[in-house]
Amino acid sequence: WYEYNDTGDPWAPDISYRDGTYWLYYAVSSWGTNHSAIGVATSASGLPGTWTDHGKVFSSGTTDTWNAIDPTIVRADGKLWMSFGSYWSGIRMVELNPRTGKAIEGATVHHLATRPDAPYAVEGPAVVHHGRYYYLFASYDACCSGVNSTYKIRVGRSTSVTGPYVDEDGTPLLEGGGTLLLAGHGRFVGTGGESVFRDKGRDVLAYHYYDSGTPKLGLNELSWGKDGWPTVR
C-alpha cells in the first residue's frame, strides 16, 4: 500500500457480513490525487487480529476520470455492487465477484452522481434499498476543515441500483441534483461521511461532524415519508 501513500495507511472502512464472513473494504490514497485503490480483508469473527488482507479490489490512476476511494457495498438483484468515489467525476459503481469480493474483470464503471462545476465536490456514497427504490446518499462540498467545513448530506433515488438517480424535484444527480438531508447548523458543521444501518427495526444515519471544531460521530434515526423520501430525527 506504500504505492499510494508514504505511510501505507488505509481509511474509509466499510464492513459487511455475508456467507459467514465479515468483509472489510477500505481505501488507500494520498490527499488530492486519484492514484488510489480500494482493498478488502476478511474475517470469520470480525475481531482484531483475525483479518486476512486480499489486496486490491479496484484501483484508479491519473489517467482515469474517477477516484477509487470511499467504498460501500450493496446487494441488488442477486448481484454484489460497490459504489465509490471522490471529486473528479463524482460517484461511480462496479459489480463485484461475490466469491472473491473483487471487481469483475472488465466490469462496466457506472456513473451515479456528479456536479457540473469543478472540483465536482461529491463523495462518500452510501446506497440503501427501501421500498421500490435504491437511495444514494452522498457528501457534498468540503470536509475536514474544522469550523470551515461545508460538508452536507444529499440524497437521490432510482428504481435501479445503477441509476439514473434523481432528487425530490426530479433533477438527475448526474446534473448536480440531490435533495438536502442534513447540513451544518449552529456550532455543528461538516456533516458527512455518512452510512446507513438497520437497528431494531429502524434505520439509522451515521456520520461525522464538528462540534465547535471538535470532530465527533453523529447518529440520527431515519424516517421515511409517505412519498418515500427520508428525513432525519
Side-chain angles (χ1 to χ4, degrees), residues 24-104:
L24 169 62
Y25 289 83
Y26 56 89
V28 282
S29 186
S30 297
W31 192 270
T33 177
N34 70 329
H35 178 58
S36 311
I38 293 168
V40 66
T42 58
S43 168
S45 66
L47 296 175
T50 67
W51 293 90
T52 300
D53 187 37
H54 301 286
K56 295 180 188 178
V57 171
F58 191 75
S59 62
S60 59
T62 55
T63 59
D64 291 317
T65 58
W66 57 80
N67 191 12
I69 70 168
D70 293 349
T72 187
I73 307 301
V74 63
R75 288 188 253 192
D77 303 321
K79 297 180 179 181
L80 190 66
W81 301 88
M82 179 179 72
S83 57
F84 62 92
S86 168
Y87 286 59
W88 274 263
S89 60
I91 307 302
R92 300 280 183 150
M93 175 177 276
V94 293
E95 185 180 352
L96 303 183
N97 181 325
R99 182 180 60 82
T100 64
K102 298 184 177 184
I104 292 175

Side-chain angles (χ1 to χ4, degrees), residues 2-233:
Y2 291 92
E3 174 186 350
Y4 296 97
N5 63 50
D6 291 341
T7 58
D9 287 339
W11 74 85
D14 180 88
I15 296 180
S16 53
Y17 183 79
R18 60 183 175 83
D19 302 329
T21 300
Y22 290 93
W23 299 76
L24 169 62
Y25 289 83
Y26 56 89
V28 282
S29 186
S30 297
W31 192 270
T33 177
N34 70 329
H35 178 58
S36 311
I38 293 168
V40 66
T42 58
S43 168
S45 66
L47 296 175
T50 67
W51 293 90
T52 300
D53 187 37
H54 301 286
K56 295 180 188 178
V57 171
F58 191 75
S59 62
S60 59
T62 55
T63 59
D64 291 317
T65 58
W66 57 80
N67 191 12
I69 70 168
D70 293 349
T72 187
I73 307 301
V74 63
R75 288 188 253 192
D77 303 321
K79 297 180 179 181
L80 190 66
W81 301 88
M82 179 179 72
S83 57
F84 62 92
S86 168
Y87 286 59
W88 274 263
S89 60
I91 307 302
R92 300 280 183 150
M93 175 177 276
V94 293
E95 185 180 352
L96 303 183
N97 181 325
R99 182 180 60 82
T100 64
K102 298 184 177 184
I104 292 175
E105 187 173 353
T108 299
V109 181
H110 299 276
H111 203 181
L112 306 188
T114 190
R115 304 280 288 276
D117 52 326
Y120 316 107
V122 54
E123 62 184 2
V127 179
V128 175
H129 187 233
H130 179 82
R132 296 177 47 235
Y133 296 99
Y134 292 93
Y135 291 81
L136 171 60
F137 299 81
S139 301
Y140 284 59
D141 298 320
C143 79
C144 315
S145 300
V147 295
N148 296 317
S149 299
T150 56
Y151 239 16
K152 57 184 68 69
I153 301 169
R154 295 185 180 273
V155 62
R157 72 184 184 187
S158 172
T159 54
S160 169
V161 72
T162 56
Y165 287 85
V166 300
D167 66 17
E168 198 168 357
D169 296 327
T171 304
L173 267 61
L174 283 172
E175 298 177 10
T179 297
L180 182 63
L181 180 69
L182 184 64
H185 49 283
R187 72 175 200 260
F188 309 115
V189 300
T191 52
E194 74 293 328
S195 61
V196 177
F197 64 94
R198 193 87 175 148
D199 177 56
K200 298 179 180 178
R202 60 179 183 167
D203 291 317
V204 179
L205 179 75
Y207 57 95
H208 55 70
Y209 69 100
Y210 290 98
D211 179 352
S212 301
T214 300
K216 293 187 177 181
L217 169 69
L219 297 172
N220 287 80
E221 184 176 349
L222 270 184
S223 299
W224 303 88
K226 292 182 179 179
D227 57 2
W229 288 98
T231 57
V232 291
R233 293 172 24 171

